[in-house]
Amino acid sequence: MVTLRGYQEEVVERALRGENVIIWLPTGSGKTRAAVYVAKKHLETTRGAKVVVLVNKVHLVAQLYTKEFEPYLGHGYTLVPVSGDSKEKDFFGPVLKDSDVVICTAQILYNAMTNMEETKHVELSDITLLIIDECHNTHKESVYNKVMACYVEKKLERELPLPQILGLTASPGTGGAKNLEKAVDHVLEICANLDSAIVSTKNCVSELKQKVPRPVKQFDIVDKRLEDPLGDHLKRMMEMIHEYMNIPPDFNLRKCGTQEYEADVVILEQNGVKQNNRLLAQCALHLRQYNDALLINDTLRMMDAYRSLNEFYKNKSTTAIDGTDYFLAGLFQENQVELKKLAGDSRYENPKMGMLETTLLTQFGPSVKSKGILFSKTRKSIYCLKDWVLDNKALQEAGVKAAILTGAGNGNTHMTQQKQADTIRDFRDDKVNLLISTSVAEEGLDIPECNLVVRYGLLTNEIAQLQASGRARAKESRYSVVADKGGKEVRRELTNECLEKLSIEAIAKVQQMSTPEFRTKIAKLQKEAVCLRKLTEAGKREKRGRNTAASVKLLCRNCLKVVACGSDIKLLDDMHYVNVNPDFERHYTVGGEVNINKSFEDWEPGRTINCSTCNQDWGFEMKYKKRAVLPNVAIKKLAVETPLHGRMTVKKWKDVPFTVEDFILSHANMGYNNVTVDACLDMYDF
């Protein structure tokens, strides 16, 4: 039986009447439990009810199924969790038809909505209640918004029936707005995207505050180090690269060791590629690594900064092909011994590390039972922080048992879903008492109450800050910001506090609107959004139509050698961009087998592929339906050249300025290595 607290009963009232609503409650207040209650009542009272619960992260599928929905609905209803690893995703239509509740990622539902195959296709009209977790993400190009864009278009065209919408959020944020009027516009936009009103508790505020107390916030501030020989030496090396690369006079690089400088050198690299200026492009790539080392030096240990740069040069896969490569490699080699010596000089160690140690020791001790989360920005930084904890004698004597928590994925620094679950279980069972995490632990994950949350070297928005602080839910818990005196982290934290208050004011303004006024504003925003999407898509089609695929050249982004043309690329299963030209194999060499910790319906990964000229990694071969071996190429590793607009770089294949045709199996009926596909298959021993 699902029982609710007073404030939960208050926020579900309108949802129980069948209205579209966004439930706005803080982290840890039981938003999901309220959604389970609404789902149960909906199943009991709606003929042919079909409930779909959408999440925006894969690991939340199993979590919501196991922890929330199955315990309360599993006895009387059929529940199915569907994720990318589930076979059910390939039969989503029948699965939905035969189930009462489906919990899945938004991408799986969107794929099913856009796939016309009978076994996979679903319509929004097949669903009667659509629950959207962390619904503040329903904006711009997010998959949540793609799903809801279909909903809004059908609503405006009066294509009924449509499901009831129930959104859940701890904060819709301000969307970057700095004044009340624009913050109200942002909240209205979220409401329009979800076709929902936003509801919160009014009569049970004291109960909510008692149940979800805010942690005590403190700024643990340190003075900047007076001397930084390692940082100074890195900056001198960067100046030498600046002189060598001959930066255009009209291009001003901002201060080294900042995010702004990183943005500048990214643009320089892109300009170098566009201008066929390899010297400029390569120097910019290396400068980004030096800047990364400076950022690490500012946040972590000096030796971490040195190791970051050393690893880059040690593992650099590309082959030296001209004087630029020899200069850049030589510069580091000439300074390597001095850099390592400076990094090991404890007199100049980062004072923030000392403050972080003090902050942790005030909460942890041999006889003190504490749980904490240490948030940092990057996967690289959290691995460095774990090494530091293990090497720190005082923290070890205090009983700190640290573990890393990162997002799920296939890279070396990603975690499998099982590893995530194991780590959280160890945290719950006190085998681990300090999670060192990226933003993955800010929202969604079922993490036990903590009495310490530390944000270290983070610059995020007000939503992330609010959700991170919401992890400190134990009594008398603390929320610490470790930062330099007058540093950007402190300024951002204070700004976010103001933005959080602004968001609350904006929500109140929206809630005070009369129903006719609210509906009028929402309808106007929805019509504008539909028109804008159509114009944007028309613009993309027009852009793609300017160039024939055969007229477009594709170049290795590192050595700038032409390696393919646009017509060689085909879109496989609406997901993979593969090169079907057998001549392409002349331009790449193969490496080791790619290991991905999951299986796929029609394909499996093969070997890595690298540019035969410079050894730049390009992607990997795919073994498709046991009938073809196809190179799957990453567009971010290539440059695009068109007759009309010259050379450019794009981040994703969907942004290329030509139309990519769909792959059909006959495209693969050609030889690789001057042998037939069948011979290739024999070689791979399928």
Side-chain angles (χ1 to χ4, degrees), residues 203-480:
N203 304 320
C204 304
V205 174
S206 59
E207 180 194 23
L208 178 60
K209 287 182 177 179
Q210 185 178 4
K211 174 59 183 173
V212 191
R214 295 294 292 268
V216 175
K217 186 170 185 175
Q218 62 188 55
F219 289 95
D220 293 323
I221 304 301
V222 297
D223 292 321
K224 288 188 177 182
R225 50 187 162 195
L226 298 176
E227 294 182 75
D228 181 15
L230 176 65
D232 293 340
H233 197 94
L234 289 170
K235 289 174 183 177
R236 285 194 293 271
M237 294 172 70
M238 293 169 78
E239 284 296 331
M240 294 174 69
I241 298 174
H242 290 168
E243 294 174 7
Y244 180 83
M245 68 194 292
N246 192 21
I247 299 171
D250 60 342
F251 194 95
N252 294 316
L253 283 169
R254 284 170 285 186
K255 185 179 178 182
C256 294
T258 64
Q259 298 293 341
E260 291 78 14
Y261 181 91
E262 179 178 328
D264 291 341
V265 293
V266 166
I267 293 172
L268 274 182
E269 187 271 337
Q270 293 170 345
N271 290 345
V273 171
K274 293 173 186 176
Q275 298 162 14
N276 199 31
N277 186 340
R278 188 171 184 276
L279 184 153
L280 185 67
Q282 288 301 303
C283 287
L285 281 174
H286 286 246
L287 284 171
R288 186 172 182 180
Q289 296 297 323
Y290 278 90
N291 194 66
D292 194 31
L294 284 175
L295 290 168
I296 293 171
N297 183 53
D298 182 57
T299 308
L300 303 165
R301 295 173 296 185
M302 295 187 296
M303 191 55 72
D304 295 323
Y306 165 75
R307 286 172 182 157
S308 171
L309 198 57
N310 185 51
E311 284 296 309
F312 169 72
Y313 283 99
K314 180 181 175 182
N315 298 325
K316 197 170 187 316
S317 61
T318 54
T319 303
I321 58 174
D322 60 23
T324 299
D325 296 319
Y326 290 110
F327 166 77
L328 292 167
L331 178 65
F332 178 74
Q333 291 167 3
E334 291 166 7
N335 289 271
Q336 186 175 7
V337 173
E338 181 65 16
L339 288 172
K340 188 174 182 179
K341 178 184 175 183
L342 292 172
D345 193 333
S346 60
R347 293 176 296 171
Y348 307 109
E349 194 51 273
N350 187 350
K352 279 192 281 196
M353 299 299 291
M355 178 58 75
L356 179 58
E357 177 186 318
T358 300
T359 300
L360 293 174
L361 288 174
T362 58
Q363 198 69 34
F364 290 93
S367 59
V368 180
K369 189 175 181 180
S370 293
K371 288 184 187 293
I373 304 180
L374 171 56
F375 285 106
S376 194
K377 182 180 179 182
T378 64
R379 291 188 181 93
K380 184 184 291 186
S381 67
I382 66 173
Y383 277 89
C384 291
L385 285 168
K386 185 189 177 186
D387 290 342
W388 169 74
V389 170
L390 294 175
D391 293 342
N392 189 294
K393 184 178 178 181
L395 293 177
Q396 292 304 300
E397 290 177 349
V400 176
K401 295 169 288 187
I404 281 169
L405 186 64
T406 70
N410 302 314
N412 292 332
T413 58
H414 289 76
M415 298 179 78
T416 63
Q417 292 177 58
Q418 186 58 52
K419 181 60 177 175
Q420 279 187 338
D422 292 344
T423 300
I424 294 170
R425 185 184 63 247
D426 289 345
F427 190 58
R428 184 176 293 106
D429 295 342
D430 296 324
K431 294 177 182 178
V432 168
N433 55 17
L434 179 66
L435 290 178
I436 305 176
S437 179
T438 54
S439 59
V440 69
E442 287 173 350
E443 66 179 39
L445 279 175
D446 181 28
I447 295 175
E449 293 181 349
C450 300
N451 41 21
L452 176 65
V453 167
V454 182
R455 281 165 63 85
Y456 188 73
L458 273 178
L459 294 171
T460 58
N461 63 21
E462 70 278 12
I463 296 175
Q465 180 176 311
L466 182 65
Q467 289 176 322
S469 68
R471 291 296 176 191
R473 300 201 294 268
K475 288 185 178 180
E476 300 178 356
S477 57
R478 292 191 303 123
Y479 172 84
S480 166

Side-chain angles (χ1 to χ4, degrees), residues 44-142:
E44 292 170 350
T45 59
T46 306
R47 188 173 182 178
K50 298 287 180 184
V51 178
V52 173
V53 184
L54 297 186
V55 297
N56 63 335
K57 294 177 181 176
V58 174
H59 57 261
L60 296 179
V61 173
Q63 178 180 300
L64 263 64
Y65 172 79
T66 305
K67 298 285 186 181
E68 297 288 352
F69 284 86
E70 202 279 333
Y72 296 101
L73 303 179
H75 298 296
Y77 301 97
T78 304
L79 283 75
V80 181
V82 184
S83 66
D85 294 332
S86 310
K87 292 181 180 178
E88 288 86 355
K89 75 178 188 300
D90 300 317
F91 306 96
F92 198 81
V95 167
L96 181 63
K97 183 178 180 181
D98 297 337
S99 307
D100 298 308
V101 181
V102 173
I103 303 170
C104 64
T105 59
Q107 189 65 55
I108 284 176
L109 176 61
Y110 184 69
N111 290 347
M113 289 166 58
T114 54
N115 192 319
M116 292 299 112
E117 291 182 38
E118 187 176 347
T119 58
K120 297 182 180 181
H121 183 67
V122 299
E123 291 282 350
L124 281 171
S125 57
D126 298 330
I127 304 166
T128 58
L129 174 62
L130 186 62
I131 300 173
I132 304 179
D133 189 41
E134 308 293 355
C135 70
H136 52 269
N137 294 300
T138 311
H139 60 91
K140 298 180 181 177
E141 294 298 311
S142 74

